[in-house]
Amino acid sequence: MAKEMTLSGCAAAAHAVKMAKVDVICSFPIRPYTATMMELSKMVANGELDAEFVHGEGEHAQLSVVYGASAAGARTFTGSSGVGVTYAFETYSPISGGRLPVQMMIADRALDPPGDFGSEHTDAMSARDQGWLMGWSENPQEAFDNHLINYRIGEDPRVMLPQFVCQDGYFVSHIPGKVQLPDQAQVDEFLPPYKPGTHVLDPRKPVSHGPQIRPDQGAIMDLQRAEAFLGVPQVIREVVDSFNRIFGRNYDPFLDQFMTEDADMVFFMQGGHAATARHAVRHLRQKGVKVGLVKLRFVRPFPTQEVAELLSKFKGVGVIETSTSYGGSMGGGNLLAEVRASLYDCSKRPLTTSFMAGLGGDVIPLHEFYWMAEVLSKAMRAGKVMKNVYWAGFEQAEA
Amino acid sequence: MFNIPKGREVPFGCVTPAPVGEQPMMITGNWREYRPVIDDEKCNLCGNCVVFCPDACWQFNEANDAVVWNAKYCKGCLICVNECSHDALSKAYELDFPDGVVRLEKPF
Amino acid sequence: MAVQVKTQTLPTFKKLRQMPKEEQYVPGHRTCAGCGPALQYRLVTKAAGPNTILIGPTGCMYVANASYLCTPYQVPWVHAQITNGGAVASGIEAAYQALIRKGKYQGELPNVIVMAGDGGSTDIGLQAMSAMMYRGHDALFICYDNESYANTGIQTSPTTPYGGNTTFTPPGKVIPEGKKLFPKDPPQLVIGGHPAVKYVATASVAYPVDLMNKVRKALNVKGPTFMHIHAPCPKGWKFDESKTIEMARLAVQTGMWSIYEWEDGEYKYQYRPKEFKPVKEYMKHQKRFAHLSEEHIAKMQAFIDAKVKAPGVPVKIPVPGPRQEG
């Protein structure tokens, strides 16, 4: 029965996983994603969800358990946060290379040191080269939707890849929001049961999954995965289109736009702080500042083409960085380099700079967005950016 | 979309079919320096050679009245000669045999 | 929620001639000539039969068998990391529980067998092994013990014997015995601490009928089971490859290896000598012990004398520990 509930991001994820009728779940507690597993364990205990709920002995084990379960033909779910995500790191490439469409929820959290429960995207972003799909949800509704969307994309025979479905720790995982829950029939129409390929572990059709390759085959294994990734954007488009149709939503596959129609400059970001950004954009517009917001829905595969086409329309882009890349080319976060690389071949390129914000659990208050817009405006008036990276809230008086 | 040189292809997800009966992509008969030789008169079919071979190169025949040696895969470890309970097995230099296997230039 | 219970019962047998003829671990693998682990793999899979899924953590029984892009496993097999054999097996078992219950798989619950080396069972793989035992998955965890990290070129593992020369415990002026530490006892790690485990057994390639019957017994148990199989390694222990079975037999005859079952709290021995041969009789054949003095061998003898007295009683090592003077 379709209904509206008020759910945290964690609970919304649990409801999506339940409606996706997963077969095997593997849990291990770590803040702030734990609530999802608590919800799922209740659903399993009450008989609302028929799944094996396996108590993993750690995050590395969680991923290992779902690797085995997926190889045996089950639809699987697991999740983690912060150092749990990095503890499991060894398993990410085997799962991706083994073409197993495992789904992992990441409610992001700043990495140690020290123990900081606050939100930061660095944990998940550190795994972005491992061959998984990855994207953030802005609110519990989008989290619910993205879990279903990612199962469908990942299990598509043209894709067969695992997915990191991310949401900001606390800001999305814990703050409740309105979630339209669909009918089970709608979900069943959108997401058929998982049909494993011929690589399933089945005594009736024996295979050897993952033998040692010859030294001259290593590059080809990489190439195969790269090729698979080249085909993913098309599948994303089809799936999001189908989702919008069946559930009555209006997602763009890659880039969500807000007040960009006649914008001179835009904020470019991913994740939960986009909710604040929308308010900031409205306020700035009321003051006559022609600013908009572009929100990234998938960071892997990065929508290079779409980013180039859209961002080249503007005169200035302020990239909000919610993860760190120490010693990286931009000296700040991860997204600016990806944006500039996407824009490199465009004949018309906007000025771009980046703002480190929302790190270590920080809120990005409205006045910081106003400040960022001011910095960007100044750069556009001067015709060049002064710096590639600004640490919002910590810069000296002169921007 | 890309040009993969022949012979270097990797199957999807690095998943290969399981072998049936033997694994011809890893023929090991060319490893041995010595081969076991059986004196069927002395053999009492105790089955030691059959059970102790890591490569399953001794098998009972259909009628279960003799043991048969697998020349294609035998590595010449000579466990069978060591464990034979009735001195029916002995070792002989591989290249003394007309069908003696010479080490290939490429090991695989 | 219903638990899928295995209904197959694999029968045990008395004579070697009664063992199944069919091979599930077929000729054509890159293991060393005379490889003990390869032999136990063959016997285990022969006993288990075709309704089996194998999990292969990284180690000799992965790399040597699965080179290159081909394996000798006639039954389904999946690679696992050296760290997570128990966890991957748990996932496969859980998947089959769910898929059978939901009607997505029509068939008998398959045998799920982890083939982990001593490192993958008691060292880097210990956590996953213990968790599988704790959670009660219907699966068999086999520790094939060649007493080293063999695949990477023979380095010490927690089951390498005292005095064993490995490339991480070479003998030298300051450390004349090479390896100072006494080994872990894998079955004892499992017994008693995991309430869901009802059957633990040790076996040796020297006693193949006993080994195969224990595999079948373990697979018939509905729940997690553990087997510790002695699998001598000619390359690592430095003995002639034709003597693999002889070494395994001598290990039992000297007390260096004990063959027993633990079932629902009761210990039962097999092939227990009335009188043990001195450990020297075993060690003298293996160049990994060639550097040891009489004093070192005496320490080994004292350790073994204590160990064979009673299973389950912690053995006090007869020498000062590594951090003590002595």
Side-chain angles (χ1 to χ4, degrees):
Chain A
M1 196 84 295
K3 58 180 174 175
E4 187 185 271
M5 288 182 77
T6 302
L7 298 171
S8 67
C10 277
H15 279 269
V17 168
K18 178 183 88 161
M19 298 189 88
K21 297 185 181 161
V22 299
D23 300 309
V24 175
I25 298 166
C26 193
S27 66
F28 189 80
I30 188 168
R31 292 185 178 87
Y33 104 103
T34 308
T36 298
M37 289 301 180
M38 286 165 23
E39 282 298 319
L40 284 168
S41 71
K42 280 191 272 195
M43 293 169 178
V44 168
N46 287 334
E48 291 165 47
L49 169 59
D50 185 357
E52 290 291 305
F53 193 93
V54 180
H55 302 279
E57 64 273 21
E59 290 87 352
H60 185 284
Q62 284 179 280
L63 273 298
S64 308
V65 166
V66 295
Y67 164 85
S70 185
R75 178 175 285 158
T76 59
F77 177 77
T78 191
S80 196
S81 305
V83 287
V85 174
T86 47
Y87 174 34
F89 210 97
E90 179 191 37
T91 64
Y92 296 142
S93 185
I95 293 173
S96 159
R99 306 300 290 272
L100 298 169
V102 160
Q103 185 170 112
M104 178 178 185
M105 167 196 178
I106 297 182
D108 62 59
R109 166 176 160 178
L111 292 170
D112 292 10
D116 172 353
F117 299 146
S119 169
E120 191 174 298
H121 293 184
T122 310
D123 56 357
M125 289 293 274
S126 71
R128 68 194 188 281
D129 291 335
Q130 297 301 304
W132 289 49
L133 276 63
M134 182 186 291
W136 261 261
S137 307
E138 182 184 336
N139 50 48
Q141 177 71 70
E142 202 177 0
F144 176 88
D145 294 341
N146 278 340
H147 279 283
L148 295 176
I149 286 171
N150 273 275
Y151 272 123
R152 170 85 179 267
I153 300 169
E155 292 175 4
D156 189 298
R158 298 167 288 177
V159 174
M160 275 297 169
L161 288 169
Q163 323 97 46
F164 291 124
V165 185
C166 308
Q167 53 178 263
D168 290 64
Y170 180 68
F171 298 118
V172 179
S173 69
H174 279 60
I175 298 179
K178 292 223 189 318
V179 178
Q180 302 291 335
L181 292 178
D183 278 338
Q184 185 63 55
Q186 287 171 292
V187 177
D188 293 343
E189 187 196 337
F190 172 73
L191 184 64
Y194 173 45
K195 228 171 139 251
T198 50
H199 59 333
V200 70
L201 296 171
D202 181 340
R204 301 168 303 189
K205 302 171 254 165
V207 293
S208 297
H209 190 137
Q212 193 90 343
I213 51 170
R214 290 197 316 267
D216 66 349
Q217 290 171 313
I220 288 126
M221 268 237 70
D222 293 350
L223 178 52
Q224 272 186 354
R225 248 193 290 180
E227 255 190 309
F229 255 86
L230 292 178
V232 172
Q234 180 51 32
V235 179
I236 293 179
R237 280 181 213 108
E238 289 173 20
V239 168
V240 172
D241 186 62
S242 168
F243 188 88
N244 289 337
R245 239 189 330 105
I246 294 173
F247 295 86
R249 306 250 207 283
N250 198 18
Y251 290 115
D252 182 274
F254 302 110
L255 298 170
D256 188 32
Q257 297 185 51
F258 181 68
M259 292 192 140
T260 56
E261 297 75 26
D262 62 339
D264 286 332
M265 60 179 178
V266 292
F267 295 124
F268 180 85
M269 64 194 298
Q270 62 182 2
H273 297 287
T276 321
R278 285 176 207 278
H279 291 289
V281 163
R282 272 191 308 104
H283 298 167
L284 288 164
R285 280 284 184 170
Q286 282 161 8
K287 295 212 173 75
V289 181
K290 291 168 86 173
V291 65
L293 166 69
V294 176
K295 191 192 77 176
L296 183 66
R297 285 181 23 84
F298 279 98
V299 68
R300 284 295 179 272
F302 194 83
T304 318
Q305 202 54 36
E306 287 78 2
V307 166
E309 272 168 28
L310 179 57
L311 294 189
S312 56
K313 292 198 187 123
F314 308 110
K315 300 208 192 74
V317 177
V319 177
I320 317 281
E321 302 273 26
T322 38
S323 61
T324 52
S325 181
Y326 304 112
S329 59
M330 295 292 99
N334 299 292
L335 292 180
L336 180 64
E338 305 248 9
V339 165
R340 284 195 178 176
S342 304
L343 287 166
Y344 187 77
D345 290 320
C346 297
S347 50
K348 217 167 47 92
R349 292 201 297 258
L351 290 173
T352 56
T353 186
S354 68
F355 301 99
M356 307 297 291
L359 299 169
D362 273 359
V363 177
I364 311 181
L366 288 166
H367 66 80
E368 232 155 69
F369 281 109
Y370 305 153
W371 175 85
M372 293 182 218
E374 181 53 45
V375 170
L376 199 45
S377 300
K378 249 194 181 145
M380 283 157 61
R381 284 196 296 273
K384 60 179 171 129
V385 298
M386 300 301 144
K387 292 206 292 186
N388 288 331
V389 181
Y390 293 88
W391 281 75
F394 303 108
E395 293 288 332
Q396 307 275 358
E398 251 322 295
Chain B
M1 198 190 300
F2 292 97
N3 175 33
I4 312 290
K6 196 164 189 313
R8 290 175 68 183
E9 308 94 337
V10 181
F12 177 82
C14 200
V15 179
T16 59
V20 180
E22 60 176 272
Q23 177 47 269
M25 287 173 67
M26 187 51 69
I27 295 174
T28 51
N30 59 358
W31 290 22
R32 57 179 183 265
E33 273 189 77
Y34 292 89
R35 65 162 72 171
V37 174
I38 188 163
D39 182 348
D40 283 304
E41 302 278 297
K42 291 191 178 156
C43 171
N44 77 332
L45 301 169
C46 74
N48 278 359
C49 56
V50 175
V51 79
F52 286 130
C53 177
D55 298 83
C57 284
W58 283 105
Q59 296 288 341
F60 286 110
N61 63 2
E62 279 277 345
N64 275 344
D65 61 6
V67 287
V68 179
W69 179 64
N70 187 330
K72 194 171 176 188
Y73 290 96
C74 172
K75 295 170 183 163
C77 73
L78 305 177
I79 284 179
C80 53
V81 173
N82 209 41
E83 296 300 316
C84 177
S85 62
H86 272 68
D87 281 325
L89 284 171
S90 54
K91 77 178 195 206
Y93 190 52
E94 176 68 13
L95 294 178
D96 284 348
F97 293 83
D99 64 342
V101 184
V102 179
R103 271 208 121 75
L104 299 176
E105 269 170 45
K106 283 200 319 193
F108 51 81
Chain C
M1 178 191 332
V3 171
Q4 300 313 312
V5 176
K6 260 204 302 275
T7 53
Q8 70 173 25
T9 312
L10 298 166
T12 54
F13 52 94
K14 288 208 167 54
K15 293 198 189 316
L16 201 153
R17 293 290 299 267
Q18 294 167 310
M19 77 177 177
K21 255 190 158 170
E22 215 197 337
E23 307 291 340
Q24 307 297 342
Y25 178 85
V26 302
H29 42 87
R30 214 160 75 101
T31 61
C32 300
C35 172
L39 176 56
Q40 65 80 40
Y41 217 140
R42 179 187 160 220
L43 298 173
V44 166
T45 50
K46 191 188 266 289
N51 188 31
T52 302
I53 296 178
L54 298 168
I55 294 95
T58 306
C60 268
M61 288 301 99
Y62 164 57
V63 178
N65 282 323
S67 302
Y68 286 100
L69 258 204
C70 64
T71 73
Y73 316 116
Q74 195 165 270
V75 295
W77 167 90
V78 66
H79 178 219
Q81 305 307 112
I82 192 175
T83 50
N84 64 15
V88 174
S90 302
I92 293 172
E93 190 263 1
Y96 269 91
Q97 292 283 339
L99 294 173
I100 292 175
R101 184 174 62 243
K102 290 170 154 185
K104 293 187 191 174
Y105 179 84
Q106 266 83 42
E108 171 82 51
L109 197 69
N111 298 320
V112 175
I113 305 180
V114 187
M115 262 300 187
D118 38 278
S121 310
T122 66
D123 204 18
I124 190 171
L126 176 60
Q127 183 174 285
M129 184 275 283
S130 172
M132 184 188 120
M133 298 296 141
Y134 153 66
R135 286 191 298 258
H137 295 279
D138 192 350
L140 166 60
F141 194 106
I142 293 188
C143 169
Y144 67 88
D145 198 349
N146 53 12
E147 299 177 357
S148 72
Y149 282 101
N151 182 242
T152 40
I154 320 296
Q155 286 81 40
T156 185
S157 84
T159 61
T160 305
Y162 166 76
N165 182 350
T166 71
T167 61
F168 279 179
T169 55
K173 273 203 298 265
V174 175
I175 309 178
E177 62 268 75
K179 186 177 195 242
K180 300 207 296 194
L181 302 174
F182 282 80
K184 288 190 189 182
D185 190 341
Q188 296 303 319
L189 292 173
V190 177
I191 291 170
H194 301 88
V197 176
K198 300 287 182 281
Y199 182 79
V200 172
T202 73
S204 167
V205 290
Y207 302 98
V209 173
D210 174 76
L211 189 158
M212 286 187 276
N213 282 326
K214 282 173 173 166
V215 169
R216 288 191 157 184
K217 249 180 122 168
L219 291 172
N220 290 338
V221 168
K222 299 176 195 346
T225 48
F226 182 86
M227 278 185 69
H228 188 207
I229 302 183
H230 205 208
C233 169
K235 282 269 183 323
W237 305 5
K238 302 196 180 20
F239 62 83
D240 186 81
E241 61 209 19
S242 64
K243 305 234 183 303
T244 300
I245 309 299
E246 223 179 284
M247 289 302 113
R249 208 174 282 125
L250 271 171
V252 176
Q253 289 166 352
T254 54
M256 293 284 295
W257 187 268
S258 300
I259 301 201
Y260 61 85
E261 286 171 303
W262 177 88
E263 197 170 1
D264 288 317
E266 301 280 319
Y267 281 96
K268 229 179 10 179
Y269 274 105
Q270 291 85 32
Y271 304 107
R272 188 174 165 84
K274 291 218 169 41
E275 256 189 62
F276 290 93
K277 292 186 181 166
V279 296
K280 212 183 196 158
E281 290 304 306
Y282 171 72
M283 296 166 77
K284 72 186 186 194
H285 297 284
Q286 302 168 33
K287 291 211 188 67
R288 62 173 170 161
F289 296 124
H291 59 284
L292 297 177
S293 67
E294 287 302 321
E295 201 194 321
H296 301 137
I297 297 178
K299 287 177 182 169
M300 176 73 96
Q301 188 66 63
F303 175 71
I304 295 297
D305 287 344
K307 187 159 177 279
V308 299
K309 282 216 178 88
V313 176
V315 180
K316 274 179 39 195
I317 56 175
V319 296
R323 292 281 181 268
Q324 298 161 269
E325 284 305 313

